[in-house]
Amino acid sequence: MEIFKNFSFIVIGSFLVICSVLSANAEVHRQRFVIEATKVKRLCKTHNTITVNGMLPGPTLEIKNGDTLEVLVVNKARYNVTIHWHGVRQMRTGWADGPEFVTQCPIRSGGSYTYRFTVQGQEGTLWWHAHSSWLRATVYGALIIRPRDGESYPFPKPKRETPILLGEWWDANPIDVVREATRTGAAPNVSDAYTINGQPGDLYKCSSKETTIVPIDYGETNLLRVINAALNQPLFFKVANHKLTVVGADASYTKPFTTSVLMLGPGQTTDVLIQGDQPPSRYYMAGRAYQSAQNAPFDNTTTTAILEYKSANCAAKNCKVTTPVMPSLPAYNDTNTVTAFSQSFRSREKVEVPTDIDESLFFTVGLGLNNCPPNFRKRRCQGPNGTRFTASMNNVSFVLPRNFSLLQAHQQGIPGVFTTDFPGTPPLKFDYTGNVSRSLFQPVPGTKLYKLKYGSRVQIVIQDTSIVTPENHPIHLHGYDFYIIAEGFGNFNPQRDTSKFNLVDPPLRNTVGVPVNGWAVIRFVADNPGVWLMHCHLDVHINWGLAMAFLVENGVGELQTIQPPPSDLPIC
């Protein structure tokens, strides 16, 4: 017995030593984000644009796995604001997650709030963005998580690393654009440009002087950290004459695979290695829309940056007059390319996928049309045939509370803010991707949450519908990563489709592109207590209600319980 006591003492002692070594190397990074209007000129016109620290994109945050971030956000803008740390697990620190009226009330004009959280067990590329109205059109930046000291990438160390943030630009105030759409019930105006690191590039007016240059040299292997920060558009991305080797996505390493084109839905990140193996010159990297919704207007322009070989004799100014080589991009509606790309993702090694599922859920996602309310004038119902656009999950169009955040209401037991009766399956079964009866176009508004016991093993089938139009929906779950174990087209059929489940090495993501007119199946363990939003990352769809939230209950003891709210949490 004495031997066992000594042995357990040694094991616990060793564990504490390892933990203290890990925490000894961990750092606390303190940042100050000032949200303010800044004069920004794009497409020949100057706008008072909401930025962080006067920068577009905002500051890149660079940390190591295990580090803690403390970001003081000071709101000097005229709009309410919150910041979301997209893809950060936020273990027990849900108060720092950021979605407005979900985990916090917004930071009012003149107010401030400090986001404090530790990033643990995640490496690669994430990002941060505003999570209030359409402010994230210009309030966003990269969050880079490197391995701990003494550890390395599971691929050859790149010579240099470059974040590539794909964005979307309106030649207008984005807040005015969404407010006008909310007033009229119509779809909002599409953007006027896409951007790479804040710049539209050579194919737009008044833009070529500021085109982003990405340096490379012959023989180098570099890492591009590609982030789709666009508001409403999945995007193809390609570099002329260069192959890209995918090594990570959403801050999880992947089995490397080589491709000539990427497709990222808003919210997704992809880490790729690029080799300087072409004749030294200048090559365009370009991004443009993947548009899966038929007959819907979209921004069909192309953003470019320039991959420039340093040895391309620029001293003699030769390369300035050399027009860069342009890549041939897929057709806007090239779903086959998207499918081949998304099905190439695998985890690096065999992973422990949850089995023995406790909660088997089925969520439909899609658009809808509300009939014009009798007290509305015609100009407020400018959707198809005099309706107003809406969207829903399982026929519930999500309504955010206004006087409390959901997490606060849950923590303080405030009644009347939400209910926990979000349906785990569609209230009505129908031919989801077929010809849907108009009687199913009008969802029910509600603030409904789905309750999960701590530690429960969850599977969700996410099914696109053809209501109004089928579309590829990038569905993001806050507070969690999940395994994407299968995807396909048509209606999910458990008899036929469970045989397609990859339970060996599925990719770990925080945002899944649900195929147009198709479905995806995800699994995760509910090991992070709090209130966690799940929503389409096309912001136009969030406004219309394509969202829901999970209420994950506390487990046993301190380590399975959400931390108390910080003292400076904004009040409504």
Side-chain angles (χ1 to χ4, degrees):
M1 197 66 193
E2 196 62 38
I3 293 169
F4 283 114
K5 272 187 188 162
N6 290 342
F7 177 71
S8 63
F9 177 75
I10 289 163
V11 170
I12 291 165
S14 308
F15 178 70
L16 291 174
V17 167
I18 290 165
C19 287
S20 64
V21 167
L22 289 178
S23 59
N25 288 338
E27 293 175 54
V28 177
H29 301 260
R30 293 183 176 87
Q31 298 279 342
R32 180 181 161 96
F33 277 13
V34 178
I35 315 283
E36 59 192 346
T38 307
K39 290 206 176 323
V40 175
K41 188 175 185 181
R42 297 287 186 277
L43 310 180
C44 319
K45 210 160 152 194
T46 302
H47 292 275
N48 270 334
T49 300
I50 307 300
T51 64
V52 171
N53 300 352
M55 299 164 65
L56 179 64
T60 294
L61 303 181
E62 302 187 45
I63 65 170
K64 294 189 298 290
N65 183 356
D67 286 356
T68 295
L69 267 168
E70 289 188 4
V71 185
L72 169 62
V73 176
V74 179
N75 186 7
K76 292 188 176 175
R78 60 191 171 113
Y79 304 109
N80 294 339
V81 75
T82 64
I83 301 289
H84 169 53
W85 315 91
H86 185 111
V88 173
R89 285 288 324 261
Q90 297 290 2
M91 296 301 289
R92 302 177 50 239
T93 51
W95 304 104
D97 189 43
E100 179 180 66
F101 295 114
V102 178
T103 59
Q104 67 169 98
C105 296
I107 307 166
R108 306 285 178 189
S109 184
S112 66
Y113 177 47
T114 301
Y115 292 89
R116 292 182 185 83
F117 55 91
T118 300
V119 175
Q120 198 72 264
Q122 296 182 279
E123 290 177 17
T125 306
L126 295 175
W127 63 301
W128 55 266
H129 60 80
H131 213 299
S132 182
S133 184
W134 271 22
L135 285 180
R136 83 168 179 85
T138 55
V139 175
Y140 63 89
L143 170 54
I144 293 169
I145 310 158
R146 295 205 167 81
R148 290 185 169 94
D149 287 340
E151 296 183 7
S152 58
Y153 297 133
F155 47 82
K157 190 173 190 317
K159 181 80 196 276
R160 68 181 91 214
E161 304 181 7
T162 310
I164 302 287
L165 290 106
L166 307 174
E168 207 168 356
W169 178 262
W170 274 261
D171 202 11
N173 177 348
I175 305 294
D176 292 344
V177 174
V178 67
R179 283 179 176 173
E180 173 68 3
T182 303
R183 198 180 60 74
T184 64
N189 289 345
V190 299
S191 54
D192 296 287
Y194 301 112
T195 57
I196 296 177
N197 293 352
Q199 295 296 339
D202 291 355
L203 306 184
Y204 298 89
K205 61 185 179 183
C206 306
S207 299
S208 51
K209 275 190 185 146
E210 310 295 334
T211 296
T212 297
I213 304 285
V214 177
I216 195 168
D217 217 346
Y218 190 79
E220 284 180 357
T221 298
N222 294 345
L223 180 67
L224 303 180
R225 299 175 177 274
V226 187
I227 300 165
N228 186 349
L231 208 69
N232 292 319
Q233 194 65 54
L235 293 167
F236 289 115
F237 176 80
K238 201 166 176 182
V239 183
N241 295 10
H242 289 72
K243 291 265 195 266
L244 305 169
T245 301
V246 175
V247 292
D250 292 2
S252 289
Y253 295 120
T254 63
K255 267 197 183 75
F257 68 93
T258 301
T259 178
S260 61
V261 64
L262 311 180
M263 198 293 287
L264 295 88
Q268 293 184 321
T269 74
T270 307
D271 289 352
V272 297
L273 295 175
I274 183 168
Q275 288 187 312
D277 57 5
Q278 294 300 302
S281 185
R282 306 168 86 223
Y283 299 86
Y284 275 130
M285 39 179 66
R288 81 169 185 190
Y290 164 50
Q291 178 65 10
S292 59
Q294 291 183 339
N295 305 321
F298 70 100
D299 176 352
N300 63 2
T301 62
T302 303
T303 179
T304 56
I306 298 169
L307 182 73
E308 185 170 276
Y309 281 73
K310 287 191 300 174
S311 46
N313 194 12
C314 288
K317 297 219 162 117
N318 293 353
C319 69
K320 291 298 175 214
V321 290
T322 309
T323 304
V325 183
M326 189 72 186
S328 61
L329 285 149
Y332 297 113
N333 63 350
D334 187 350
T335 293
N336 290 343
T337 291
V338 173
T339 305
F341 177 68
S342 69
Q343 291 185 349
S344 300
F345 284 87
R346 297 275 185 277
S347 282
R348 256 192 96 78
E349 282 129 17
K350 189 175 187 305
V351 290
E352 281 190 41
V353 183
T355 51
D356 303 324
I357 298 301
D358 303 303
E359 295 273 3
S360 187
L361 307 175
F362 189 113
F363 291 175
T364 57
V365 296
L367 306 184
L369 298 173
N370 280 333
N371 295 331
C372 196
N375 58 330
F376 275 34
R377 294 189 176 167
K378 269 191 177 163
R379 64 169 181 260
R380 296 209 57 197
C381 298
Q382 293 183 34
N385 304 317
T387 58
R388 290 178 60 85
F389 272 108
T390 183
S392 67
M393 294 176 73
N394 275 356
N395 205 45
V396 179
S397 188
F398 195 68
V399 180
L400 284 170
R402 276 282 165 255
N403 298 322
F404 302 97
S405 75
L406 295 170
L407 184 56
Q408 184 189 3
H410 164 57
Q411 191 82 347
Q412 297 174 9
I414 301 165
V417 178
F418 64 84
T419 55
T420 53
D421 57 348
F422 184 86
T425 54
L428 188 72
K429 289 185 171 53
F430 57 97
D431 179 4
Y432 308 114
T433 54
N435 254 336
V436 183
S437 158
R438 280 303 297 258
S439 63
L440 297 174
F441 275 43
Q442 189 156 316
V444 180
T447 310
K448 295 174 185 283
L449 276 55
Y450 191 92
K451 203 181 269 191
L452 292 172
K453 279 199 162 44
Y454 183 92
S456 56
R457 292 163 298 232
V458 184
Q459 173 179 296
I460 312 174
V461 176
I462 310 170
Q463 172 75 59
D464 185 30
T465 74
S466 55
I467 295 175
V468 184
T469 178
E471 189 165 359
N472 180 298
H473 294 278
I475 301 294
H476 172 49
L477 175 58
H478 288 232
Y480 286 89
D481 287 327
F482 48 74
Y483 291 110
I484 305 173
I485 60 169
E487 54 181 54
F489 292 98
N491 299 339
F492 177 77
N493 177 337
Q495 279 73 43
R496 180 192 64 213
D497 294 325
T498 41
S499 63
K500 298 174 186 163
F501 286 5
N502 175 4
L503 302 178
V504 178
D505 60 355
L508 188 64
R509 303 294 299 255
N510 62 53
T511 304
V512 55
V514 177
V516 53
N517 244 331
W519 49 268
V521 184
I522 67 170
R523 285 187 183 178
F524 63 95
V525 176
D527 59 0
N528 192 9
V531 175
W532 304 107
L533 191 64
M534 185 178 195
H535 65 90
C536 180
H537 219 280
L538 308 177
D539 276 31
V540 54
H541 292 177
I542 311 178
N543 291 105
W544 290 342
L546 212 167
M548 60 78 67
F550 287 107
L551 194 168
V552 181
E553 296 175 318
N554 286 327
V556 178
E558 187 188 1
L559 293 181
Q560 296 183 4
T561 302
I562 189 167
Q563 293 176 3
S567 57
D568 63 339
L569 188 74
I571 52 170
C572 285

